[in-house]
Amino acid sequence: MYVMVLNVLAYAHDALMVTLYYSRTLGRRYSVKITALAAAGWWIVQSAAKLPAMYLADEYNMSMIMVVQCLFMFAYLFPFYRSTLVKKLSAFMLVAAALGVAEFTSILIAGTVFDIGSRPMQPGSAFTAAGLLIMRPLATLAYYAAFQVWNLLQHSSWIRGGRQWLCVILPLSQIFLLWYLTEAYTEESATLPLPALAGVFLAFAADIYMVVIFDQAQKREQMENELRIRKRLYELEQLRYDRLRSSQEETARLRHDFQNYLLVLRGLLEKEHSGEEGKTI
């Protein structure tokens, strides 16, 4: 039963890494103690619900197990961490894709050394033990890679843009494909071939590149909107300048006419004054 004990310890490692990852990406809603207790609760529920179904049951449905695992993660993620719904889903999809790459890599490496046997998840299986041991450093690298990608894109405009849900839906569709591949190859008691693993790596890279492209497009649209606003403001300022110039020209013309009018009045007064002086003489 050492394999089940090893799997329980692996889930404890996942609980620690999940707590660190979501605390850094989304921010804790409660104190460190409460968040740690919630992570411990997730670890206990995850171990109690998933391990007996995989190791002790005669048959198990991998898709149903993955769905239940995601539900457990959502039940832990949404109440205990901050941020918006789309950010929570994006953080989950990012780390799920990274862990999928790590898991498929560990399966490939373990399958080249040990025989998978009649079924992969067996209490005394050397293949399962090797996969769990190989998965631990790869899982740490997966969480670190997911955090670095999130840290790179956390201030990007795609999170606030209209494409944010597309950045969640596309990786979600790939996760369903990974579930199918996992179930298909484990039922056939065969290791994952290298082309399928390469496809998983390329899909993960495509997800990151997709986000980068959407971010650049969002920034370009934002710059174009700012340029249109500045152009409109320039046109308004030009119109205001033209009106002020016309007003100044009109004021100058009126001032000139008024000065001429004053000169005419002054001339008439001087003429009238000269005529009165002539009559007096």
Side-chain angles (χ1 to χ4, degrees), residues 184-236:
Y185 284 107
T186 52
E187 286 181 355
E188 295 176 1
S189 299
T191 59
L192 190 69
L194 186 59
L197 180 63
V200 174
F201 273 97
L202 292 176
F204 181 58
D207 291 337
I208 299 174
Y209 187 59
M210 171 196 66
V211 175
V212 173
I213 291 178
F214 285 168
D215 176 54
Q216 293 176 352
Q218 190 73 21
K219 289 181 179 179
R220 184 169 57 251
E221 292 178 3
Q222 184 177 358
M223 292 178 61
E224 291 176 353
N225 291 333
E226 291 178 356
L227 182 61
R228 284 194 294 267
I229 293 174
R230 290 182 180 180
K231 184 178 179 181
R232 179 58 180 169
L233 291 176
Y234 173 77
E235 292 176 352
L236 293 176

Side-chain angles (χ1 to χ4, degrees):
M1 300 297 289
Y2 69 93
V3 173
M4 290 192 65
V5 175
L6 184 60
N7 216 144
V8 171
L9 295 177
Y11 286 159
H13 175 262
D14 285 335
L16 175 61
M17 297 304 298
V18 160
T19 303
L20 294 175
Y21 172 74
Y22 286 124
S23 297
R24 296 295 301 273
T25 55
L26 302 176
R28 296 189 310 272
R29 189 182 298 272
Y30 304 103
S31 63
V32 177
K33 182 178 180 180
I34 295 177
T35 307
L37 290 175
W42 174 84
W43 167 49
I44 294 173
V45 173
Q46 178 87 342
S47 301
K50 187 176 179 181
L51 295 182
M54 291 192 304
Y55 288 103
L56 302 180
D58 296 333
E59 295 182 359
Y60 61 90
N61 189 327
M62 180 60 69
S63 297
M64 184 59 64
I65 291 177
M66 297 298 291
V67 169
V68 173
Q69 182 177 356
C70 290
L71 292 177
F72 288 156
M73 177 58 69
F74 291 152
Y76 165 70
L77 173 62
F78 285 95
F80 293 97
Y81 294 95
R82 300 181 184 274
S83 194
T84 61
L85 175 61
V86 66
K87 282 189 177 182
K88 289 180 179 179
L89 292 176
S90 299
F92 170 75
M93 293 302 169
L94 182 61
V95 73
L99 287 174
V101 173
E103 185 174 1
F104 273 59
T105 304
S106 63
I107 291 175
L108 179 64
I109 296 174
T112 58
V113 180
F114 299 96
D115 184 16
I116 193 172
S118 59
R119 52 180 293 182
M121 309 305 291
Q122 300 182 42
S125 172
F127 167 81
T128 304
L132 290 172
L133 292 174
I134 296 171
M135 180 61 185
R136 288 309 93 203
L138 292 180
T140 304
L141 291 176
Y143 281 106
Y144 177 77
F147 172 71
Q148 291 301 321
V149 173
W150 180 269
N151 191 42
L152 178 65
L153 300 172
Q154 64 176 341
H155 299 298
S156 301
S157 56
W158 67 270
I159 297 178
R160 300 183 299 273
R163 303 178 180 88
Q164 53 188 0
W165 286 105
L166 186 60
C167 296
V168 175
I169 293 174
L170 290 181
L172 179 62
S173 64
Q174 295 176 0
I175 290 177
F176 284 124
L177 178 60
L178 293 179
W179 286 357
Y180 172 76
L181 289 176
T182 302
E183 185 174 4
Y185 284 107
T186 52
E187 286 181 355
E188 295 176 1
S189 299
T191 59
L192 190 69
L194 186 59
L197 180 63
V200 174
F201 273 97
L202 292 176
F204 181 58
D207 291 337
I208 299 174
Y209 187 59
M210 171 196 66
V211 175
V212 173
I213 291 178
F214 285 168
D215 176 54
Q216 293 176 352
Q218 190 73 21
K219 289 181 179 179
R220 184 169 57 251
E221 292 178 3
Q222 184 177 358
M223 292 178 61
E224 291 176 353
N225 291 333
E226 291 178 356
L227 182 61
R228 284 194 294 267
I229 293 174
R230 290 182 180 180
K231 184 178 179 181
R232 179 58 180 169
L233 291 176
Y234 173 77
E235 292 176 352
L236 293 176
E237 288 293 331
Q238 185 67 32
L239 181 61
R240 180 172 175 269
Y241 172 76
D242 293 339
R243 289 178 178 177
L244 288 176
R245 185 175 179 181
S246 299
S247 178
Q248 290 176 353
E249 291 177 353
E250 182 67 19
T251 303
R253 186 181 64 80
L254 292 174
R255 186 184 298 112
H256 179 71
D257 294 342
F258 184 69
Q259 289 176 352
N260 291 336
Y261 177 71
L262 292 177
L263 290 175
V264 171
L265 291 178
R266 183 178 179 181
L268 292 175
L269 289 174
E270 290 178 352
K271 185 177 179 181
E272 183 179 355
H273 183 67
S274 297
E276 290 178 355
E277 288 181 353
K279 290 179 180 181
T280 304
I281 297 173

